[in-house]
Amino acid sequence: ISWNETSKEPLFWGESGRMKIHKALDLMRRYPRTHIVHCRWGMNTTDFSEPFIDFIRQEVEEGRLENPASWWEGKFSFASLPLDVWRFIDEDTRTILVTKDDLEWKDLNRSLCELL
């Protein structure tokens, strides 16, 4: 978590591993201006982003959630580490080096929410 000292809200929230759909939506509601990243290992981003997007769509359609495009200013990113993570580990220096380009990314942003 990276905090904005002025607003006392997180600028960035990172999660790895399994995250329940309800927690993801709760983070969006609590921190509507935060960039949230959910990262999984060895999964296609569609496998864990689509259930969340479908849940939001259903909640909006059934009137339990106001369309996030009207209140959410943040960004929600889904990232996936490849299965062969060992290639990022340097055994000699005992360091791990992963760049953003090494991951698969999918973003949920305001424009996508406007399509709900």
Side-chain angles (χ1 to χ4, degrees), residues 1-2 6 8 18 21 33 37 39 43 49 53 57 60 69 72 82 86 88 91 96 98 101 105 110 114:
I1 299 173
S2 174
T6 305
K8 303 298 181 197
R18 293 186 179 163
I21 290 171
R33 288 173 289 283
V37 175
C39 186
M43 290 183 71
S49 63
I53 293 167
R57 183 175 288 116
V60 169
W72 184 54
W86 313 117
F88 303 115
E91 293 288 338
I96 299 171
V98 180
D101 292 337
W105 290 91
R110 288 180 52 89
E114 290 167 2

Side-chain angles (χ1 to χ4, degrees), residues 86-101:
W86 313 117
R87 67 185 163 114
F88 303 115
I89 301 171
D90 184 325
E91 293 288 338
D92 295 331
T93 62
R94 300 193 185 275
T95 57
I96 299 171
L97 179 59
V98 180
T99 68
K100 186 175 181 179
D101 292 337

Side-chain angles (χ1 to χ4, degrees), residues 14-27:
E15 290 274 338
S16 63
R18 293 186 179 163
M19 179 168 54
K20 295 195 181 278
I21 290 171
H22 292 83
K23 179 178 182 178
L25 181 56
D26 185 56
L27 289 172

